[in-house]
Amino acid sequence: MEIAGKMDSAVRLKDVTRSYEMGKVKVEALRGVTMEIAAGRFSVIAGPSGSGKTTLLNIMGLIDSPTGGTVEVCGTDVLRLNDDALSDFRARKVSFVFQTFNLIPVLSAYENVEYPLLLAKMPVQERKQRTMEMLEAVGIADFSRHRPNELSGGQRQRVAIARALSKRPDIVLADEPTANLDSKTGSAIIDLMLRMQRDHHATFIFCSHDRQVFEYAEELFIMKDGLLIERKVTT
Ligand SMILES: Nc1ncnc2c1ncn2[C@@H]1O[C@H](COP(=O)(O)OP(=O)(O)O)[C@@H](O)[C@H]1O
Ligand SMILES: [Mg+2]
């Protein structure tokens, strides 16, 4: 992982558009977004439902491509990469945390966290050590043998956070990660993410319409109708 200096940017978007053809109707989810997100910070993308937050996050996380514009992630112009290079880049650099946790139901908490390390072909000893270290860091070590359906929502999200960070990504993208949690559990999850962001020097980009999340933002971007309408730097 690169050491993030103050001027480094994790993501740089220029004139990004994304439209969907729905029969005869064209939905413009993003209508020209230009933004730069600093590396090593906790940034929040806010805005009402339907404003384009998920579309934006998926483009930053390289699981969707824009209709127009340019996308730079960790200094790489990602739209110029071929499919293999793009998959490899994504596997090394970015992780997602989802609203619905998206854990693999047949795998234990341990196996869910280990999975990205298996994919990355990490040697077995290092992999076991890293997996336990991550489970401990999120306070779930005692539940390592439990499957997702034997865990509470907050515990599942802790496992998802451990999984996201196990491969030491540069960027963690979280799409409404507290939306399915009560507010107390949601606060605990945000605190955990802040701690993980500091410990791992990763860039966290969080999208949410949960006001509770906004106060934690070092940078807050506000979306409306597919446009970035405001940017506030709070630290
Ligand atoms: N796969 C899709 N097909 C058609 N329209 C979509 C699709 N995904 C998102 N949209 C539309 O794009 C707009 C932005 O959606 P989204 O990025 O999910 O917003 P948010 O995450 O802020 O709620 C909405 O009008 C939504 O209906
Ligand atoms: Mg969304």
Side-chain angles (χ1 to χ4, degrees), residues 50 53-55 99 175-176 207:
K53 303 182 299 296
T54 295
T55 307
Q99 176 178 343
D175 193 354
E176 314 248 7
C207 84

Side-chain angles (χ1 to χ4, degrees), residues 35-68:
M35 68 196 295
E36 186 170 349
I37 298 186
R41 306 188 97 186
F42 196 87
S43 296
V44 173
I45 300 169
S49 180
S51 58
K53 303 182 299 296
T54 295
T55 307
L56 196 59
L57 213 67
N58 290 347
I59 287 172
M60 292 177 180
L62 315 176
I63 58 177
D64 189 15
S65 340
T67 316

Side-chain angles (χ1 to χ4, degrees), residues 7 23 83 101 126 134 148 156 183 213 215 227 229-230:
M7 299 304 288
D83 285 354
F101 321 128
E126 193 185 353
M134 293 311 303
R156 288 182 209 185
S183 67
V213 172
E215 63 195 81
L227 292 171
I229 56 162
E230 202 179 334

Side-chain angles (χ1 to χ4, degrees), residues 112-206:
N112 268 281
V113 175
E114 183 188 38
Y115 191 64
L117 305 178
L118 273 169
L119 292 183
K121 301 190 172 66
M122 183 183 274
V124 58
Q125 276 313 322
E126 193 185 353
R127 197 174 78 218
K128 284 185 175 167
Q129 197 182 340
R130 177 76 63 85
T131 303
M132 278 320 292
E133 180 193 312
M134 293 311 303
L135 287 164
E136 274 159 26
V138 300
I140 286 290
D142 291 347
F143 298 88
S144 65
R145 299 159 80 100
H146 290 231
R147 291 193 179 173
N149 68 2
E150 298 163 338
L151 297 169
S152 70
Q155 290 172 328
R156 288 182 209 185
Q157 201 58 307
R158 286 173 187 273
V159 174
I161 292 166
R163 176 182 61 179
L165 282 153
S166 67
K167 69 181 188 190
R168 307 258 154 95
D170 288 37
I171 303 180
V172 177
L173 299 153
D175 193 354
E176 314 248 7
T178 59
N180 283 332
L181 303 173
D182 62 78
S183 67
K184 187 157 165 269
T185 310
S187 307
I189 289 296
I190 298 164
D191 286 341
L192 172 65
M193 290 217 191
L194 281 168
R195 183 160 60 75
M196 299 301 269
Q197 186 243 332
R198 277 163 203 159
D199 291 353
H200 293 268
H201 308 286
T203 304
F204 269 62
I205 306 173
F206 219 93

Side-chain angles (χ1 to χ4, degrees), residues 83-102:
D83 285 354
D84 284 349
L86 187 67
S87 309
D88 180 61
F89 185 87
R90 184 174 49 223
R92 284 185 295 112
K93 300 276 186 185
V94 300
S95 286
F96 273 90
V97 175
F98 298 96
Q99 176 178 343
T100 49
F101 321 128
N102 293 22

